[in-house]
Amino acid sequence: MGPSRSARPSRRTVLAATAGTTAALTLSTTSVRAAEDRPDESSLRALVSRMTLEEKVGQLFVMRVYGHSATAPDQADIDTNLEELGVRTAAELIARYRVGGIIYFTWAHNTRDPHQIAALSNGIQKVSLDQPRGLPVLISTDQEYGAVARVGKPATLFPGAMALGAGGSREDARTVGRLGGAELRALGIRQDYSPVADVNVNPANPVIGVRSFGADPDAVAGLVTAEVKGYQSAGVAATAKHFPGHGDTAVDSHFGFPVITHSRELWSSLDAVPFRAAVRAGIDSVMTAHIMVPALDPSGDPATLSHPILTGILREELGYDGLVVTDSLGMEGVRTKYGDDRVPVLALKAGVDQLLNPPSIHVAWNAVLNAVHGGELTEARLDESVLRVLRLKAKLGLLENPYVSDSGVDHTVGTAAHRRAADRIAERTTTLLVNEERLLPLSRRSTPRVLVVGADPASPSGTDGPPTTVLATALTELGFTATALSTGTAPSAAGIDNAVAAAGGVDAVVVGTYNVTATGSQKTLVERLVATGVPVVAIAIRNPYDVAQLPDVRAYLATYSWTDVELRAAARVIAGSARPRGKLPVEVERADDPTKVLYPIGYGLTY
């Protein structure tokens, strides 16, 4: 699985390979390993001075690449790499473009299992270090937990941000960062694009929602700070995203160009609060948002390309001098106004350091190179960003030893202790919103037969799923006789009829809801089930706002995600083996009058 222990180059060998002379580049082990210390600047500047312009350009890119192996991916992944990237493998990508970073995705087949991920990481590092003046690669991923996770089971899957917001415990948030960070580092992933620092004040937000800790900026700031400290104590760079704040939009920047209409004053008191806290906490990287904020920059440019926002506000006003990484440059929000050849150049001019996942590495890489040759960008400007990239690599220990081991995977990833911690944290997040006539907890004696129906959205990476099956299995293990019947996120008339018929033979129904709308068939399903007279327990398995659409349900829980750990915790709450302890981290507005609050922040029942 990658280089053996004896084959791994020593710290001295790595440094010698990067510059050709060890003496000039000796880094203090203390400064590399201690998160609060900066590595020796003169050593890093010497590294930069020996790099070619092409190597400098490459250091600024973080790219996707398909396949489970750096050198021998499956043929289908080779074909996709050739089509999208013009190379066959990660090895060819690194050799041609000298990229400074690679991002892992499930859909790119990078994350099959922990030992494969570790071997891929080692293979990437070896290929890069074998290049002339080779440097280690900063490997990253989006491991937010909850709805967004790229590394699945058997790695530990912790509750996501809004669930942690419901738990309200900074210690839990720090634990998620510390344990999750340890697992990522064991896999060779040293930069995590988490936590989400957006304050989600728009229930219709299609892209953030439960990925946010909540709607109270101070509460979000506290949890962001805690998670940042957890990740970075584990030797993984945390990333606050999406600056300057993506929490109040009804447009998904993957597919459109959102406009945030907050005034400068509102932005300062709402959106900016968690980012200020992250900067104070020493955050290693900040990710930009492909959104327009006219009050911060009236030019009409997305924040990713805005010098007033990234340099004027983030760098100068907030005093941030760490790494700035773009959100994916393949998203529509950053491609609406400019072509793919202009976007990376404008991002660097705005103050960005890392260019994440452009649609075409050939177009983007050459655009930056040509901008330097043509005088639009100076090599000195590139040096600033390359130096920031190298500072972070040094801080994370990559210049000392970029490799990971199989034993490290076995002792760290998905351990029983980590899984127990995830279960305990999840129990503190489950939120009880309705419990008429004390329907919950259900009794195994008086309501032994339970039907579990409802939405079965595609499971987040690596969970067991589908949700109805996970819930039914968990309830059966808790002493009920539970059966699962998936009705989907848009139940058909026949599916609703089947569920209603099945409800006639049980003592209680548990129904999972997923983004219920006023006119959707999920609402019809629940109303028909309630009309049978059989007790109905509903669980909002994503957004907690569902409860407003279903006023006749006698018991309603919110889990904030449909991963196994949250669903199993909800089952324990339903069975009474755990008490509901979560409190709403967002307001739930009335369905008939959104100007009025149905359930305020901090609301939550218990028993």
Side-chain angles (χ1 to χ4, degrees):
M1 311 301 292
S4 67
R5 186 177 302 277
S6 60
R8 292 187 188 113
S10 67
R11 163 176 166 268
R12 183 171 294 274
T13 304
V14 171
L15 290 172
T18 58
T21 171
T22 304
L25 300 174
T26 301
L27 296 177
S28 160
T29 301
T30 302
S31 69
V32 170
R33 287 181 174 171
E36 67 271 18
D37 290 342
R38 230 177 216 193
D40 177 31
E41 283 286 302
S42 62
S43 300
L44 298 181
R45 290 182 186 277
L47 271 177
V48 176
S49 71
R50 289 168 171 81
M51 295 169 68
T52 68
L53 176 59
E54 289 78 8
E55 290 164 359
K56 292 175 182 179
V57 171
Q59 280 298 301
L60 307 181
F61 283 93
V62 182
M63 277 303 298
R64 71 193 180 281
V65 64
Y66 292 81
H68 71 287
S69 164
T71 55
D74 294 340
Q75 186 61 48
D77 291 321
I78 291 174
D79 294 341
T80 306
N81 283 331
L82 285 169
E83 180 182 354
E84 293 189 13
L85 308 175
V87 298
R88 294 164 51 85
T89 64
E92 290 184 11
L93 175 72
I94 291 166
R96 182 174 299 180
Y97 295 105
R98 304 298 295 273
V99 294
I102 285 180
I103 179 172
Y104 286 169
F105 290 107
T106 310
W107 48 260
H109 310 140
N110 305 137
T111 57
R112 289 181 179 176
D113 64 74
H115 285 289
Q116 168 270 317
I117 298 169
L120 173 61
S121 298
N122 282 344
I124 285 169
Q125 300 297 0
K126 184 177 187 306
V127 166
S128 188
L129 289 167
D130 282 347
Q131 304 301 312
R133 297 169 301 280
L135 287 165
V137 174
L138 183 54
I139 298 172
S140 61
T141 199
D142 294 288
Q143 191 78 350
E144 299 173 12
Y145 297 109
V148 176
R150 311 303 188 194
V151 180
K153 290 179 66 177
T156 309
L157 290 171
F158 294 94
M162 193 170 284
L164 293 174
S169 167
R170 296 183 183 184
E171 184 56 38
D172 283 349
R174 186 165 186 158
T175 297
V176 168
R178 179 172 55 84
L179 300 184
E183 296 200 10
L184 291 176
R185 187 178 174 97
L187 300 173
I189 299 168
R190 304 288 184 98
Q191 184 178 24
D192 189 14
Y193 298 135
S194 186
V196 171
D198 303 316
V199 182
N200 197 81
V201 293
N202 188 339
N205 195 321
V207 64
I208 305 301
V210 295
R211 298 168 62 197
S212 162
F213 288 107
D216 180 295
D218 293 324
V220 172
L223 294 167
V224 164
T225 297
E227 199 162 284
V228 167
K229 290 181 176 178
Y231 277 117
Q232 295 186 181
S233 72
V236 169
T239 308
K241 63 184 187 186
H242 308 79
F243 188 81
H246 211 314
D248 187 9
T249 173
V251 175
D252 185 341
S253 52
H254 289 84
F255 310 109
F257 187 17
V259 179
I260 307 293
T261 58
H262 292 181
S263 67
R264 178 65 187 254
E265 293 72 26
L266 179 57
W267 174 82
S268 183
S269 63
L270 181 74
D271 306 280
V273 175
F275 290 101
R276 285 197 200 99
V279 171
R280 287 195 299 270
I283 186 87
D284 282 328
S285 51
V286 171
M287 179 179 283
T288 68
H290 305 325
I291 58 175
M292 187 198 310
V293 190
L296 305 183
D297 179 359
S299 70
D301 286 345
T304 297
L305 310 182
S306 170
H307 189 274
I309 291 175
L310 299 187
T311 297
I313 296 177
L314 179 58
R315 295 276 192 219
E316 295 173 359
E317 290 187 25
L318 272 60
Y320 179 67
D321 192 37
L323 206 65
V324 175
V325 55
T326 70
D327 206 342
S328 170
L329 297 182
M331 293 166 60
E332 190 60 31
V334 79
R335 303 174 74 191
T336 300
K337 188 174 178 182
Y338 301 100
D340 292 339
D341 59 334
R342 294 298 300 149
V343 165
V345 175
L346 294 173
L348 291 171
K349 292 176 73 172
V352 158
D353 301 304
Q354 285 185 310
L355 301 161
L356 177 62
N357 205 24
S360 168
I361 180 66
H362 176 76
V363 169
W365 189 91
N366 280 289
V368 174
L369 189 66
N370 292 335
V372 177
H373 287 317
E376 185 177 8
L377 287 171
T378 65
E379 191 165 354
R381 168 65 191 90
L382 265 57
D383 289 351
E384 292 176 16
S385 289
V386 172
L387 189 58
R388 287 193 184 100
V389 171
L390 294 181
R391 281 178 190 146
L392 184 53
K393 289 181 178 182
K395 177 183 176 182
L396 297 173
L398 282 168
L399 300 185
E400 182 183 45
N401 183 9
Y403 294 104
V404 294
S405 68
D406 283 341
S407 61
V409 172
D410 292 334
H411 288 118
T412 309
V413 179
T415 65
H418 288 189
R419 295 196 306 272
R420 285 194 300 270
D423 285 336
R424 288 194 299 268
I425 292 169
E427 284 185 357
R428 294 191 278 271
T429 69
T430 307
T431 307
L432 179 61
L433 299 174
V434 179
N435 194 23
E436 294 179 2
E437 301 171 2
R438 296 186 177 180
L439 174 59
L440 292 179
L442 294 181
S443 166
R444 285 177 287 272
R445 289 188 295 274
S446 59
T447 55
R449 298 169 302 168
V450 178
L451 173 67
V452 181
V453 303
D456 274 334
S459 291
S461 298
T463 62
D464 286 338
T468 53
T469 300
V470 173
L471 283 166
T473 300
L475 288 169
T476 297
E477 291 171 350
L478 290 163
F480 294 89
T481 302
T483 56
L485 176 63
S486 176
T487 50
T489 55
S492 65
I496 292 172
D497 289 342
N498 288 340
V500 170
V506 299
D507 304 302
V509 176
V510 173
V511 55
T513 67
Y514 184 95
N515 299 354
V516 176
T517 62
T519 58
S521 57
Q522 283 191 73
K523 183 173 183 177
T524 304
L525 167 68
V526 177
E527 290 173 344
R528 289 276 306 279
L529 290 169
V530 169
T532 66
V534 178
V536 173
V537 179
I539 307 175
I541 64 173
R542 184 164 184 153
N543 290 319
Y545 312 111
D546 289 1
V547 65
Q549 299 289 348
L550 299 166
D552 296 326
V553 173
R554 289 172 55 195
Y556 220 124
L557 293 163
T559 63
Y560 310 97
S561 187
W562 60 107
T563 51
D564 303 347
V565 67
E566 284 105 334
L567 296 175
R568 289 196 307 266
R572 292 193 293 275
V573 168
I574 290 170
S577 62
R579 294 185 301 109
R581 297 164 67 178
K583 305 294 182 183
L584 277 175
V586 294
E587 290 181 344
V588 174
E589 301 165 349
R590 284 177 48 170
D592 59 345
D593 186 356
T595 65
K596 296 181 180 178
V597 174
L598 180 63
Y599 298 112
I601 292 174
Y603 182 85
L605 306 174
T606 191
Y607 43 78

